[in-house]
Amino acid sequence: MRSVSLGPQYRQDALARLAGTEFDVLVVGGGIVGAGAALDATSRGLSVALVEARDWAAGTSSRSSKLVHGGLRYLEQRDFGLVREALRERALLLTRLAPHLVRPVPFLYPLRHRLWERAYVGAGVTLYDTMGGARAMPRHRQLTRGAALREAPGLRRGALVGAVQYYDAQVDDARYTMTVARTAADYGATVTTRTEVTGFLREGERVTGAAVRDAESGVEIAVRARRVVNATGVWTDGAGRMAGTRTAFSVRASKGVHLLVRRDRIALNTGIISRTDKSVLFVIPWGRHWIIGTTDTPWEHGPDGPSADAADVDYLLDQANALLRIPLTRDDVEGVYAGLRPLLSGEADDTTRLSREHTVAEPVPGLVVVTGGKFTTYRVMARDAVDAAAAGLDAAVPDSVTERLPILGAVGFEVLWNERRHLAEGSGLHVARVEHLLRRYGSCIPEVLALIAQDPALGEPVPGAPDYLRAEALYAATHEGALHLEDVLARRLRVAMEERDGGLAAARHVAALIAPVLGWDSAETVAEVERYIAHVHAERGTGAAVPAGDAAAGKGGDTGDSGDTEALPASA
């Protein structure tokens, strides 16, 4: 399938278009809502620019629980509208928009009380099974304790009297966000990363664009647009101050922390969901790992650089160990990541009670703000934001079509999946590798296989990150807009999150592989490795530096520092 390549030449051309075009809509923020808004707007026939200060999904949209879900716990809060909307979006993602990236996952809800809890939870899950587009999933099952322990032998017998098993869905959030941005580019949007908005352009009271700084060259660009959409999530209030305005709402950040442990440490054939005093405990399958989350605590330190601390890790281990037959220790934690959720502020001090719904406002003429919400309902948020932006344009704008618009890699995915053994034979790869590629690239897999056909060495695993092929790292730079080593290892590949050393052993190899594409000389390549080492330690919460030589030799894992925070593994 033909697709646009977000390589260096695309970016150079895109920067020229930013400087020389007045767009119908300029979207600020390259998270899932911003990418979705760019796709929504360009698919309505509008001229669109999308600018992101760092990388696609560098903030909240790469640090979620990786779930596409209706929000079972919101039923208890009687937020039926939100659950119905989310379940409908979940069904669209599974069956039409992104079947290559979104897939079903079973979850077990352990019951601790006889009779009343089974009836109470069963009634809620029955409603979950029948609302919105819920029929895209198998219906729930009521399980005895014996049946539940056969599904989840890793649970303590005394931790449950029975269980309810139901289904939700899972997604690689960073890959999905990048693919939506790339789909928008495929339909004509001009999309760029490392392009930071430093101020808004004004004509009198009206916002008419933004001043953008290209972080790679330092060049300032005046990007003119008839309408500007601010989709910056937890950075919304800061962007509002930049515009010299206040909205009728404000955004509070809630920190969510997740751990990764090896699959063989917990004997489960299903995911787990359980209530805690402060949040909800998830144990979610993720490749060779389980993701354990999440916390839900107020974050008052600004939107940049949230990190997990020792208390977060201990809290999650304690909550998981309350259920598990063989307790986990810190030594079992291979990765940890922290992200911030943008919540609409309200009267409650407890962030678990703040709204997960979204809002759209126009605080000054020409500037539309969208915030709140959840990953699952990003398409609805994007549609509502573009509806508001379109209302200020002179010409009539068609309604949103994204409900019927599969993202890049979706069309033809099922056919290629059925042909995966033939693809394996033709490429020389094991069928398991082809399945891995299909679940990441869908019908764009021929582009990755073409790289391997040109250079068979690209069909080998990345040293230090054996779950991924060298071709995937190269493809990130040639087609997926990666500009830095961090972009590749933290978000195109999830190495920073999945490997115990945070990807330090892979850093030199990947940097050397992508350097020719990105035009790095030897000094720049070394600098990229050093910056990545610093990134890993910053994500861990450590200030310790690991020499580039040690990282390149695969020695850049644990620093040996025995302090509580310093002992945390890398996050993504």
Side-chain angles (χ1 to χ4, degrees):
M1 177 181 178
R2 182 200 66 81
S3 60
V4 68
S5 298
L6 303 186
Q9 186 60 54
Y10 173 89
R11 187 174 191 275
Q12 182 178 330
D13 296 341
L15 292 173
R17 288 195 297 274
L18 289 182
T21 307
E22 182 182 27
F23 296 92
D24 292 323
V25 177
L26 167 63
V27 181
V28 180
I32 186 57
V33 177
L39 177 57
D40 188 289
T42 196
S43 63
R44 299 193 199 197
L46 300 174
S47 60
V48 178
L50 168 62
V51 295
E52 158 59 33
R54 295 187 292 170
D55 183 30
W56 309 125
T60 300
S61 294
S62 63
R63 299 164 183 262
S64 75
S65 296
K66 323 303 181 196
L67 291 178
V68 171
H69 65 122
L72 185 61
R73 61 174 165 159
Y74 303 144
L75 286 178
E76 191 172 20
Q77 300 170 6
R78 294 179 174 81
D79 203 341
F80 301 118
L82 178 61
V83 175
R84 183 181 295 106
E85 179 180 80
L87 288 173
R88 183 172 181 273
E89 293 302 307
R90 187 189 70 176
L92 284 173
L93 290 165
L94 278 164
T95 61
R96 182 186 302 167
L97 304 186
H100 57 312
L101 296 177
V102 181
R103 59 190 60 90
V105 177
F107 282 92
L108 201 71
Y109 186 103
L111 300 173
R112 295 180 174 83
H113 305 280
R114 301 184 186 278
L115 298 178
W116 73 265
E117 189 181 20
R118 185 178 292 278
Y120 180 74
V121 174
V125 178
T126 297
L127 191 59
Y128 201 69
D129 279 345
T130 56
M131 295 176 72
R135 292 184 184 86
M137 294 285 205
R139 295 179 68 87
H140 80 277
R141 297 191 300 155
Q142 295 276 359
L143 302 179
T144 64
R145 177 159 59 184
L149 290 174
R150 285 192 290 275
E151 287 290 313
L155 298 185
R156 289 193 302 107
R157 185 175 181 83
L160 71 166
V161 298
V164 175
Q165 189 173 54
Y166 75 101
Y167 280 78
D168 258 319
Q170 184 178 63
V171 68
D172 182 334
D173 48 6
R175 169 150 293 276
Y176 189 92
T177 301
M178 179 276 299
T179 305
V180 173
R182 194 175 165 201
T183 307
D186 217 36
Y187 283 103
T190 298
V191 305
T192 58
T193 59
R194 311 288 172 179
T195 43
E196 180 183 5
V197 169
T198 58
F200 289 102
L201 307 181
R202 307 290 282 261
E203 291 291 340
E205 186 183 4
R206 176 171 292 276
V207 170
T208 58
V212 173
R213 186 179 68 87
D214 173 21
E216 301 300 291
S217 66
V219 172
E220 299 279 348
I221 304 170
V223 184
R224 302 199 173 276
R226 296 178 180 88
R227 304 284 277 168
V228 177
V229 174
N230 174 13
T232 52
V234 292
W235 287 267
T236 296
D237 289 351
R241 289 190 294 271
M242 190 184 300
T245 185
R246 293 185 62 184
T247 57
F249 56 87
S250 63
V251 175
R252 288 180 59 184
S254 167
K255 186 176 76 168
V257 174
H258 299 78
L259 313 179
L260 277 84
V261 302
R262 292 196 322 270
R263 285 289 285 271
D264 60 9
R265 280 296 289 115
I266 310 176
L268 299 175
N269 302 315
T270 176
I272 301 292
I273 179 174
S274 179
R275 295 175 56 155
T276 72
D277 292 340
K278 299 180 181 179
S279 184
V280 173
L281 176 72
F282 289 105
V283 182
I284 307 164
W286 180 266
R288 293 184 293 108
H289 295 88
W290 296 103
I291 293 177
I292 299 174
T294 177
T295 62
D296 194 345
T297 55
W299 178 258
E300 309 291 348
H301 305 292
D304 295 315
S307 60
D309 57 29
D312 295 321
V313 175
D314 289 341
Y315 169 79
L316 289 172
L317 290 176
D318 288 345
Q319 297 303 317
N321 288 339
L323 295 174
L324 297 178
R325 183 168 51 85
I326 302 175
L328 299 170
T329 70
R330 280 199 184 187
D331 288 340
D332 295 312
V333 178
E334 300 227 315
V336 55
Y337 64 93
L340 300 178
R341 308 176 188 93
L343 306 179
L344 300 181
S345 67
E347 296 298 323
D349 292 329
D350 183 357
T351 56
T352 62
R353 298 181 181 275
L354 295 183
S355 177
R356 260 63 173 179
E357 295 191 45
H358 70 274
T359 190
V360 177
E362 187 172 353
V364 295
L367 177 65
V368 172
V369 178
V370 55
T371 194
K374 50 190 287 189
F375 195 103
T376 305
T377 57
Y378 84 90
R379 193 194 63 82
V380 177
M381 297 174 65
R383 180 199 66 198
D384 291 351
V386 177
D387 281 346
L393 296 174
D394 295 335
V397 176
D399 291 337
S400 175
V401 299
T402 53
E403 182 179 349
R404 303 180 297 280
L405 189 64
I407 71 167
L408 203 62
V411 176
F413 162 69
E414 290 88 351
V415 175
L416 288 169
W417 181 262
N418 293 337
E419 295 176 347
R420 61 192 184 277
R421 295 193 181 278
H422 299 300
L423 289 172
E425 292 171 3
S427 64
L429 299 176
H430 192 282
V431 68
R433 288 287 188 185
V434 171
E435 290 175 351
H436 160 88
L437 295 176
L438 282 167
R439 290 189 176 112
R440 285 170 52 77
Y441 305 96
S443 56
C444 291
I445 190 176
E447 297 173 342
V448 182
L449 297 181
L451 295 176
I452 297 173
Q454 294 168 9
D455 180 0
L458 295 175
E460 297 297 320
V462 174
D467 288 349
Y468 300 94
L469 299 180
R470 287 162 53 87
E472 296 181 79
L474 183 62
Y475 187 83
T478 59
H479 286 69
E480 296 180 337
L483 296 178
H484 293 279
L485 186 58
E486 176 196 334
D487 301 344
V488 178
L489 293 178
R491 287 173 290 277
R492 305 305 185 278
L493 319 182
R494 304 315 297 270
V495 175
M497 180 177 75
E498 295 167 349
E499 294 296 329
R500 191 175 188 89
D501 70 348
L504 297 183
R508 179 177 63 85
H509 302 284
V510 172
L513 187 64
I514 64 178
V517 174
L518 298 176
W520 301 339
D521 60 23
S522 58
E524 290 170 316
T525 303
V526 170
E528 280 289 327
V529 174
E530 291 175 344
R531 278 194 291 269
Y532 184 71
I533 293 169
H535 163 77
V536 168
H537 285 297
E539 292 284 307
R540 289 182 177 188
T542 109
V546 176
D550 287 350
K555 301 176 184 176
D558 294 333
T559 63
D561 198 320
S562 60
D564 283 349
T565 302
E566 287 79 3
L568 296 179
S571 63

